[in-house]
């Protein structure tokens, strides 16, 4: 069993996929208590909603509210990556899957549709 310090090994670390593409940063974690009474990390949470909840206070509520306005769901949720998909924890966190199978962060969707999409020729550009 590997012991991880959430504040040292996980929070604010860059998440990269199997191919090395950046997914985001760990803004919060989801924990559960095991049968032995020990806490276990069950998921990594990323995005403004998770960061706002973690920060708390007026600024945290504002950050989560802005993120909520960019989402189409009634109650916005952070990007949740099950800890089973974590391949390695080091200077960054490497996933065992590609970023394409994860939900796109709402800020990126909003920027693509409302900012980048308005630039002449942007819709014709190849990725």
């Amino acid at each position: 069993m590997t012991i991880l310090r959430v504040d040292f090994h996980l929070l604010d670390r860059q998440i990269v996929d199997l191919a090395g593409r950046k997914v985001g940063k760990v803004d919060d974690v989801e924990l559960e208590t095991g049968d032995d009474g020990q806490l276990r990390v069950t998921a990594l949470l990323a995005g403004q909603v998770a960061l706002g909840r973690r920060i708390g206070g007026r600024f945290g509520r504002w950050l989560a509210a802005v993120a909520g306005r960019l989402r189409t769901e009634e109650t916005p949720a952070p990007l949740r990556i099950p800890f089973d998909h974590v391949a390695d924890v080091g200077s960054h966190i490497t996933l065992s899957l590609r970023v394409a199978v994860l939900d796109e962060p709402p800020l990126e969707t909003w920027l693509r549709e409302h900012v980048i999409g308005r630039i002449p020729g942007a819709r014709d550009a190849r990725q």
Side-chain angles (χ1 to χ4, degrees):
M1 170 172 61
T2 304
I3 296 177
L4 293 174
R5 279 190 44 197
V6 171
D7 61 338
F8 183 75
H9 294 106
L10 299 177
L11 289 178
D12 300 321
R13 296 284 172 128
Q14 182 70 51
I15 305 168
V16 297
D17 74 352
L18 188 60
R21 293 185 59 197
K22 292 180 181 179
V23 174
K25 290 198 176 200
V26 178
D27 293 313
D28 206 351
V29 296
E30 186 178 279
L31 301 171
E32 84 175 16
T33 305
D35 296 334
D36 58 358
Q38 296 290 319
L39 287 176
R40 288 183 173 67
V41 177
T42 56
L44 305 178
L45 305 176
Q48 293 84 5
V49 173
L51 183 59
R53 290 176 185 165
R54 181 176 134 209
I55 291 172
R58 183 177 290 170
F59 180 70
R61 285 191 305 272
W62 176 83
L63 189 61
V66 168
R69 294 190 57 119
L70 300 177
R71 303 270 312 200
T72 57
E73 300 100 37
E74 185 73 26
T75 54
L79 173 62
R80 184 180 182 280
I81 304 168
F83 201 72
D84 296 341
H85 296 303
V86 173
D88 185 48
V89 176
S91 61
H92 59 274
I93 296 173
T94 306
L95 301 178
S96 61
L97 46 79
R98 296 192 183 274
V99 70
V101 301
L102 299 172
D103 293 333
E104 183 176 53
L107 181 59
E108 288 186 29
T109 304
W110 187 89
L111 286 172
R112 184 174 18 77
E113 293 173 0
H114 295 91
V115 178
I116 304 299
R118 294 179 184 219
I119 298 172
R123 295 200 188 274
D124 299 329
R126 301 282 184 239
Q127 291 185 4

